[in-house]
Amino acid sequence: MALTGRAVLVLAFGVVPVMIWPASLVVGLWTLLVILLVALDVLAALSPKALVLTRVSPSAVRLTQEASSQVGVRNPSRRVARVDVRDSWPPTAGATGDRHRLVIPPGEAATCVTCLTPTRRGVRTAGPVTVRSRGPLGLAYRQRSFEVPSSLRVLPAFRSRVHLPARLARLRDLDGTAIIQQRGQGTEFDSLRVYQDGDDVRSIDWRATARSSAVMVRTWRMERDRRVVIVLDCSRWAAGRIGDETRLDAAIETALLLGALASAGGDVVHVLAVDRAVRARASASAGLTELARLSSALAGVEPALVEPDWSRVVAEIGRTVRQRALVVLVTSTDPAVVEDGLASVISQLVGRHAVLIATPRDPAETDAGVGVATPTEAYRAGAASRRELWTEATEAALRSLGAHTVAAPAGALAPAVADAYLTLKAGGQL
């Protein structure tokens, strides 16, 4: 039981009779009257235990998109229920309008709708539903909290989706399924046709020519059903912030765009999130319909403040694919990271796979030398320039080992990696 503001106000009105009859007896009688009214009001209030509560929320929603949580309150009793309902969620669920005042007649039900706008990906577990049952005088209420289990999986935002249509159109051109066919060498045999001026003589099929009255040449298409393995470094490097997000968020955006593009092209996509252990694993194929599987698997991944175990990374890649694949490592190219084991990983992988290393850059570090006006800014710009030189030298060393590198600002990394994938596919290097 708890008092409302109305009970305090009624008690304060006792000042009037006390001023007229200033006696302790008047004070006692007025106080006793208020206590009696409060007791009667509490007895007239319906017990919250008599109500039946249900909660319905969507299973998943993308970050920053709106969803709704619906709490159903049914009154099976024979008394009117005057209740205040609070649908509690953690702060990162972005709940608004979570307090509701209802008057439910006997045998009827009502629904409370709470708007959710999540601000952080992962699984958001709902808190208890708190019900306050008020008496008819509004002087006191009876309160009880109920556990009504519900959760909301917040998927990554996938803002890089806007870059997907243009890359899909380019992919269709490469695969020869666009309206305008492009002539050129591919990596997978397609069909035979009659030789035309300008064809590469190396494409002539002499056996087919011997069986025909014309010179026959082979035509090629881009090879499909390849394997793409995307490895996200979830170690302490990924916890660094670029603007309002972590490096891991940029890595996840990259994995989603590349996964959508590669699966649409007929490739089988595997995604691994690894630090010293495998934090998430997912596969997708057969087009864009399985993209939700990647999003769901990566929704709850968070960076860990540990060093990466590169030997485990190599072992997991070998366990995931047996044939040649494109391995995309989204990690740092800082000299310290490369010396601590990344270089050895590249040396082990380039013999069997095509390797692409993707690194998100912080625009604040790149622009450190712009508008230098104070000694502090000059020192900061000098440190940034030196770091940039070290990073460029490290990336050159990785390329000398046979790896491809892509470095771009966090918001532009996903389309840059998608373009690199298309370039490698067009060149038959996958």
Side-chain angles (χ1 to χ4, degrees):
M1 185 201 76
L3 299 178
T4 66
R6 183 177 297 182
V8 177
L9 186 60
V10 171
L11 184 63
F13 282 159
V15 176
V16 177
V18 169
M19 292 179 62
I20 298 175
W21 299 286
S24 57
L25 180 61
V26 176
V27 175
L29 290 175
W30 185 262
T31 304
L32 183 61
L33 176 62
V34 173
I35 294 175
L36 180 60
L37 291 175
V38 168
L40 293 175
D41 203 35
V42 170
L43 292 175
L46 180 66
S47 172
K49 295 180 181 180
L51 301 175
V52 179
L53 303 179
T54 58
R55 178 190 261 153
V56 178
S57 61
S59 58
V61 65
R62 291 216 171 267
L63 185 66
T64 71
Q65 292 184 351
E66 290 188 358
S68 61
S69 170
Q70 299 182 5
V71 175
V73 184
R74 185 167 62 88
N75 178 19
S77 69
R78 298 180 179 180
R79 300 165 60 185
V80 176
R82 300 175 180 85
V83 294
D84 294 335
V85 180
R86 182 174 184 264
D87 182 11
S88 61
W89 287 82
T92 52
T96 56
D98 57 347
R99 299 174 186 271
H100 310 272
R101 174 159 290 191
L102 305 173
V103 177
I104 308 175
E108 297 188 12
T111 301
C112 310
V113 179
T114 300
C115 181
L116 304 176
T117 309
T119 59
R120 185 176 178 181
R121 57 181 174 77
V123 179
R124 307 274 81 85
T125 303
V129 177
T130 302
V131 178
R132 288 180 174 179
S133 178
R134 293 173 283 107
L137 300 179
L139 299 178
Y141 56 81
R142 304 167 71 175
Q143 177 173 313
R144 186 177 179 86
S145 295
F146 300 87
E147 294 295 335
V148 186
S150 183
S151 63
L152 177 67
R153 178 173 289 271
V154 184
L155 305 178
F158 196 17
R159 300 183 185 91
S160 56
R161 183 191 293 270
V162 297
H163 302 287
L164 187 58
R167 272 69 185 179
L168 287 176
R170 184 178 170 191
L171 180 63
R172 287 193 294 268
D173 289 342
L174 294 177
D175 286 341
T177 57
I179 297 177
I180 301 176
Q181 299 290 333
Q182 294 185 354
R183 180 182 299 176
Q185 290 289 344
T187 57
E188 186 175 290
F189 175 75
D190 185 24
S191 61
L192 293 171
R193 61 171 174 81
V194 178
Y195 176 85
Q196 299 177 3
D197 291 341
D199 287 339
D200 191 341
V201 295
R202 293 175 296 181
S203 298
I204 297 177
D205 189 320
W206 295 107
R207 291 186 179 181
T209 300
R211 297 191 299 267
S212 175
S213 59
V215 179
M216 306 299 293
V217 295
R218 301 185 187 94
T219 59
W220 307 86
R221 63 180 178 181
M222 302 309 301
E223 188 172 357
R224 302 171 68 88
D225 195 26
R226 302 291 295 178
R227 298 293 190 272
V228 178
V229 183
I230 308 172
V231 181
L232 307 184
D233 180 2
C234 300
S235 65
R236 63 182 181 87
W237 165 85
R241 302 197 69 84
I242 301 178
D244 296 332
E245 298 182 340
T246 64
R247 294 191 181 104
L248 181 58
D249 292 321
I252 290 176
E253 284 286 321
T254 301
L256 292 179
L257 181 60
L258 180 57
L261 181 62
S263 61
D267 296 339
V268 179
V269 180
H270 305 278
V271 177
L272 300 172
V274 187
D275 42 63
R276 301 198 69 81
V278 179
R279 304 300 177 184
R281 183 196 303 270
S283 300
S285 59
L288 296 174
T289 56
E290 297 192 11
L291 180 61
R293 184 181 302 177
L294 299 183
S295 297
S296 180
L298 297 175
V301 177
E302 296 293 343
L305 300 181
V306 296
E307 297 295 332
D309 186 352
W310 294 113
S311 60
R312 177 176 288 274
V313 171
V314 175
E316 291 298 332
I317 293 174
R319 189 176 294 112
T320 302
V321 290
R322 300 294 182 183
Q323 62 199 74
R324 179 175 174 80
L326 171 63
V327 177
V328 181
L329 295 174
V330 187
T331 185
S332 172
T333 54
D334 286 349
V337 175
V338 175
E339 294 173 0
D340 286 344
L342 181 58
S344 63
V345 170
I346 301 304
S347 301
Q348 297 177 58
L349 293 177
V350 292
R352 295 188 54 194
H353 307 288
V355 180
L356 174 64
I357 303 175
T359 304
R361 294 283 180 82
D362 188 350
E365 296 180 357
T366 307
D367 300 337
V370 179
V372 175
T374 64
T376 301
E377 293 176 349
Y379 282 118
R380 185 178 294 113
S385 298
R386 188 171 185 179
R387 179 188 179 89
E388 185 71 18
L389 291 174
W390 283 348
T391 302
E392 291 177 357
T394 304
E395 292 175 354
L398 293 174
R399 288 192 292 269
S400 67
L401 294 175
H404 305 273
T405 61
V406 174
L413 181 64
V417 171
D419 290 339
Y421 162 78
L422 293 173
T423 301
L424 293 173
K425 197 176 185 69
Q429 300 182 52
L430 302 186

